[in-house]
Amino acid sequence: MRTASGKRTKAENIYLPVSGRIEEIRKKTEDVSLFRVSTASPLRYTPGQFFMVSVWGAGEVPISTASLCEDDLFVEFCVRKAGTVTGAIHSLQEGDRLWLRGPYGNGFAVGRRANGDVLLVAGGIGIAPLRPIIQMFAKDGSAGSVTLLYGSKGPQDVVFMDEVQVWRSGGIDVILTVDRANCDWRGSAGLVTDLWHRARVDFSRATAYICGPEIMIKSVMRDLSLFGMPDERIITTLEAHMKCGVGKCGHCYSGPKYICTDGPVFSYKEIKEYSLLG
Amino acid sequence: MKSEWVLSKDHLSYWLRQLRNERELIGPLRDGGKDILFRTVDMLHEIVLECPSSLPSPKGFLFPQYEAMFSCRGLSLSDGSDGKREISDLRDRTRRVIFGVRSCDVSAVRLLDAFCLGKLRDPYYEERRRNTFLISLVCNNPDPTCFCLGLGTGPYLEEGFDIQMTDLGDRYFVQAGSPEAVRTVRAMNFFFRKPRKVDYEDQYEVFLSSKARFRKRINLEGPRQAILSGKVGDDFWQEVTDRCFECGGCSYSCPVCTCFTVTDRINPEGIERARLWDSCMFKGFTRMAGGVLPNEKRVQRTKRWYYHKLVHYPRTTGKFGCVGCGRCAVACPGKIDMARTATKIKGLALKEEVE
Ligand SMILES: Cc1cc2nc3c(=O)[nH]c(=O)nc-3n(C[C@H](O)[C@H](O)[C@H](O)COP(=O)(O)OP(=O)(O)OC[C@H]3O[C@@H](n4cnc5c(N)ncnc54)[C@H](O)[C@@H]3O)c2cc1C
Ligand code: SF4
Ligand code: SF4
Ligand code: FES
């Protein structure tokens, strides 16, 4: 690994971040922005993986890759302002430096949709790690069996509202819902779990990818399992307090698993087996 | 080739003085009162060998309570568009020799080696480990809290040490367990002589009498089985937890615990990124954005600590995450500790069998 000054360090240091340049910042909602970051050396990552992203002086936090790795030259992070470090990230401007190490984690093993339908369920900022999968299927073009159920707090909080049209024309059935609707809102109101009847999928043959608040993940997984979806095809990405991302700090340790290195993507089967969700 | 020698006690301080020429010498010293701490040795005669186990353990020389990882100069908090920035890696490269380490602590270092130098190598630990030479002493007189005997992690070791010394009264029986240890002894071979029959016999006797002196005879396999077979319910853990003050003393004093947190400090020279010991006994340890606390209840944290050491460690490494050093028994103000908990679990399991 190289340091920012380009000098080679003596031996590799798994904690040493590389510097990235913020090429573009797009404000998505009141507290969520999308950061497009480039690095000097090529990046290889897959959907569901994450980077430890840092601002010197503020600290380091895990952030999922929100883009599809296509030309190795950049990565996008969709960051919600939640506290100290994410706040510091939000105070940066285009052209500023963001420091990265990774990618870490197992990621989603998404195949092309050869066997069965695909159901994506997102809640709030949980759309971020699912976006590369959506982009992948939307680019694929072929019609049909990909459904996205996406719940947000209010109409102002739908993070990728500007991309929904693109996803739809890519053949994805996008169902939006909000907790609190207003008169301009054309989607549904209520929880994602109230909208199962709208999803045109064959539950017993489909694969689900879920990300959102823990409480949402729990009830979505339980419902899908009841509908006959096999537990190993109900897949989610778990959040945990993470300080290292490489299986050393112990913070994300849950059951016998390290969420950072064994996960963050787990199937309902594994979650039950290792009691990863309490 | 047998890498065994005998060192007369008269020669010990000369030898240590020689070792100190090349390395920083660390040893057990008395800290004012009764406490024993591993510290840099200035006066050789201040080393105390007839003493209870040190608190904290010597793990701090491989994994310090506070360790600076990087310094970053020329960066403002907002990390301006460009300009000179210099990140230095602050790995500690001091060469050290730690004298008077206990066998259980050497066993703990072996566990740390497996964890820190496994798939992904922790560079800070690796650098310190490479530069640290351990001289352990067989325990002739285990503390009342010690239970390494039941775990095979002490009072003496068959392998895995650098140099292991056994006190034979007027002399030490010296065993070298690594190529570097053999080199170290050979480089100053004028201090050592080859062992004779009587030295072997005396060493064997010391081993026997040491084993006989253990007051605690605890095996963790029984408790592990009891947990796995579902005999240990949440009410048991709740009882244990009721006495916990959430001070983290157990994790800090345990030579096997390695959880840490990372923090950035801003000082006039620049920014320092450092890591510090942390404890899974703290409520905020698993705090997530939005204030969700997965281990909010104290009982969940107690269980986590014990499950990690008694169930998960054996599952992934084949060894317990405890070496029986007894420090948690000394540190805990609530009188919760591995030995006591294991004994209670055993009682629980027995009771159930009788009923
Ligand atoms: C694998 C993974 C992927 C992730 N991907 C993304 C992503 O793509 N986008 C994204 O936005 N986020 C993502 N996150 C979440 C993100 O890492 C957290 O939002 C971030 O770590 C928050 O750090 P912070 O320093 O900004 O907040 P902190 O300052 O640590 O505070 C976080 C929250 O906790 C509260 N809090 C602070 N101190 C305490 C205390 N002592 N006790 C109780 N509550 C307290 C604060 O009010 C705040 O709401 C991901 C997390 C994981 C594990
Ligand atoms: S030392 Fe005892 S009181 Fe302190 S956190 Fe550990 S178990 Fe609880
Ligand atoms: S659990 Fe207690 S007895 Fe076991 S190694 Fe840790 S401090 Fe020592
Ligand atoms: S984040 Fe440190 S162990 Fe997983």
Side-chain angles (χ1 to χ4, degrees):
Chain A
M1 194 173 275
R2 278 162 198 282
T3 57
S5 56
K7 261 186 265 156
R8 265 193 101 74
T9 50
K10 280 227 175 86
E12 197 153 316
N13 185 335
I14 51 174
Y15 303 111
L16 180 70
V18 297
S19 119
R21 183 175 187 276
I22 301 180
E23 302 295 344
E24 191 188 7
I25 302 176
R26 273 186 285 158
K27 195 168 163 67
K28 290 289 178 182
T29 71
E30 191 50 41
D31 57 355
V32 177
S33 290
L34 187 69
F35 298 80
R36 190 183 174 91
V37 181
S38 65
T39 53
S41 44
L43 293 164
R44 288 239 131 255
Y45 53 89
T46 59
Q49 287 194 301
F50 64 94
F51 279 83
M52 292 301 288
V53 175
S54 64
V55 176
W56 285 97
E60 212 173 23
V61 291
I63 301 289
S64 308
T65 58
S67 52
L68 205 53
C69 181
E70 284 174 310
D71 55 9
D72 308 354
L73 295 178
F74 72 91
V75 55
E76 284 177 340
F77 299 115
C78 181
V79 185
R80 186 175 70 91
K81 199 167 160 180
T84 318
V85 182
T86 48
I89 295 174
H90 272 257
S91 73
L92 299 176
Q93 305 194 345
E94 289 176 2
D96 283 355
R97 302 261 143 198
L98 199 57
W99 296 73
L100 318 176
R101 53 190 183 89
Y104 296 128
N106 54 0
F108 294 106
V110 242
R112 299 284 149 168
R113 84 189 82 118
N115 38 12
D117 301 343
V118 172
L119 176 63
L120 299 142
V121 188
I125 186 73
I127 190 76
L130 298 182
R131 181 171 172 252
I133 307 184
I134 301 170
Q135 288 177 333
M136 194 175 99
F137 287 139
K139 245 179 47 181
D140 226 18
S142 46
S145 50
V146 182
T147 306
L148 167 67
L149 252 173
Y150 174 20
S152 310
K153 262 195 219 133
Q156 312 309 316
D157 304 306
V158 184
V159 177
F160 290 104
M161 199 59 197
D162 52 339
E163 293 181 21
V164 167
Q165 222 29 64
V166 184
W167 297 345
R168 282 191 173 134
S169 51
I172 294 176
D173 185 12
V174 183
I175 304 166
L176 299 177
T177 178
V178 294
D179 297 348
R180 273 170 281 102
N182 60 18
C183 42
D184 297 332
W185 180 246
R186 311 257 289 297
S188 317
L191 302 174
V192 285
T193 43
D194 298 334
L195 295 173
W196 293 133
H197 60 281
R198 296 269 314 275
R200 284 187 302 261
V201 289
D202 174 353
F203 287 109
S204 61
R205 288 179 58 244
T207 304
Y209 300 98
I210 310 156
C211 187
E214 189 171 307
I215 182 157
M216 183 209 96
I217 294 181
K218 276 186 182 164
S219 44
V220 168
M221 286 193 306
R222 190 200 49 218
D223 286 3
L224 293 178
S225 186
L226 280 176
F227 299 158
M229 198 179 279
D231 287 353
E232 60 271 20
R233 282 206 251 137
I234 305 177
I235 294 160
T236 188
T237 159
L238 296 180
E239 198 186 330
H241 190 108
M242 290 186 183
K243 279 293 178 191
C244 74
V246 288
K248 302 293 182 204
C249 75
H251 282 264
C252 73
Y253 183 72
S254 177
K257 297 282 174 189
Y258 289 91
I259 307 285
C260 63
T261 49
D262 296 321
V265 175
F266 291 98
S267 70
Y268 194 28
K269 187 162 174 271
E270 294 167 305
I271 288 173
K272 279 185 183 163
E273 185 174 342
Y274 306 117
S275 19
L276 298 178
L277 276 179
Chain B
M1 179 204 67
K2 273 212 168 137
S3 314
E4 293 165 339
W5 291 272
V6 168
L7 175 72
S8 156
K9 280 200 175 167
D10 294 339
H11 290 154
L12 177 66
S13 59
Y14 293 104
W15 182 47
L16 291 179
R17 227 181 285 275
Q18 292 296 322
L19 291 177
R20 190 159 65 171
N21 288 337
E22 289 178 16
R23 295 168 178 272
E24 184 186 358
L25 176 66
I26 311 292
L29 304 178
R30 211 175 282 281
D31 175 42
K34 291 191 298 182
D35 296 344
I36 303 296
L37 293 166
F38 275 86
R39 285 273 184 275
T40 310
V41 177
D42 291 324
M43 308 290 205
L44 284 164
H45 67 265
E46 284 179 357
I47 295 178
V48 275
L49 297 176
E50 297 289 325
C51 61
S53 160
S54 71
L55 197 71
S57 81
K59 84 171 169 188
F61 290 94
L62 298 173
F63 174 61
Q65 179 162 19
Y66 179 98
E67 176 158 46
M69 303 167 83
F70 301 106
S71 80
C72 172
R73 261 161 300 165
L75 285 176
S76 65
L77 184 58
S78 78
D79 210 4
S81 60
D82 217 323
K84 293 274 169 260
R85 57 180 59 78
E86 202 187 314
I87 312 277
S88 341
D89 186 330
L90 304 178
R91 261 178 268 186
D92 183 296
R93 299 199 157 84
T94 314
R95 298 184 77 215
R96 295 191 176 87
V97 51
I98 312 187
F99 175 71
V101 181
R102 294 195 168 208
S103 302
C104 58
D105 288 335
V106 175
S107 301
V109 170
R110 307 276 298 165
L111 291 177
L112 298 188
D113 286 349
F115 179 72
C116 299
L117 307 178
K119 252 186 296 173
L120 287 164
R121 304 172 84 80
D122 185 291
Y124 299 92
Y125 179 87
E126 185 172 26
E127 197 67 41
R128 284 173 178 270
R129 181 71 178 100
R130 187 169 47 222
N131 289 312
T132 303
F133 187 72
L134 301 172
I135 302 179
S136 52
L137 272 182
V138 168
C139 296
N140 290 7
N141 215 351
D143 299 347
T145 43
C146 294
F147 61 102
C148 58
L149 183 62
L151 285 159
T153 49
Y156 57 89
L157 297 176
E158 300 290 353
E159 53 173 19
F161 47 81
D162 282 333
I163 287 184
Q164 171 169 275
M165 307 199 358
T166 311
D167 185 342
L168 305 181
D170 57 345
R171 64 206 189 284
Y172 289 104
F173 194 93
V174 178
Q175 295 163 284
S178 65
E180 182 169 12
V182 174
R183 272 198 302 278
T184 305
V185 174
R186 290 237 169 98
M188 286 169 251
N189 59 2
F190 41 89
F191 288 128
F192 301 87
R193 69 165 169 79
K194 281 283 151 198
R196 301 188 195 105
K197 192 155 171 278
V198 56
D199 301 314
Y200 285 107
E201 282 167 7
D202 285 357
Q203 187 210 26
Y204 183 64
E205 242 170 65
V206 167
F207 283 2
L208 280 186
S209 82
S210 168
K211 282 194 198 169
R213 285 177 199 219
F214 276 84
R215 288 197 223 158
K216 281 206 161 76
R217 283 159 193 272
I218 290 161
N219 175 335
L220 297 182
E221 184 53 23
R224 185 180 83 94
Q225 295 289 349
I227 292 175
L228 286 178
S229 61
K231 285 183 186 148
V232 190
D234 273 359
D235 46 339
F236 172 84
W237 294 115
Q238 187 58 51
E239 248 174 65
V240 175
T241 307
D242 285 343
R243 318 171 60 110
C244 175
F245 293 90
E246 303 177 64
C247 67
C250 46
S251 320
Y252 290 166
S253 59
C254 179
V256 185
C257 282
T258 51
C259 286
F260 64 84
T261 186
V262 180
T263 181
D264 281 14
R265 294 200 171 176
I266 304 172
N267 43 42
E269 307 87 66
I271 295 157
E272 183 173 278
R273 182 162 292 170
R275 69 174 174 193
L276 296 103
W277 289 354
D278 205 340
S279 170
C280 59
M281 288 289 183
F282 297 149
K283 190 169 178 175
F285 188 71
T286 50
R287 175 180 59 82
M288 294 193 296
V292 182
L293 288 164
N295 284 316
E296 175 137 34
K297 292 209 189 88
R298 274 189 305 159
V299 63
Q300 287 167 317
R301 283 173 265 145
T302 306
K303 259 176 91 170
R304 174 187 170 115
W305 199 77
Y306 282 101
Y307 268 63
H308 189 195
K309 290 181 179 301
L310 290 176
V311 180
H312 303 150
Y313 233 106
R315 192 179 293 165
T316 47
T317 67
K319 296 198 173 104
F320 286 103
C322 166
V323 293
C325 74
R327 287 192 181 86
C328 49
V330 178
C332 180
K335 302 231 176 300
I336 303 169
D337 63 80
M338 184 56 88
R340 192 181 296 251
T341 305
T343 311
K344 277 192 188 158
I345 294 179
K346 217 166 136 194
L348 202 76
L350 281 178
K351 211 171 98 200
E352 195 159 291
E353 260 166 44
V354 173
E355 283 165 4

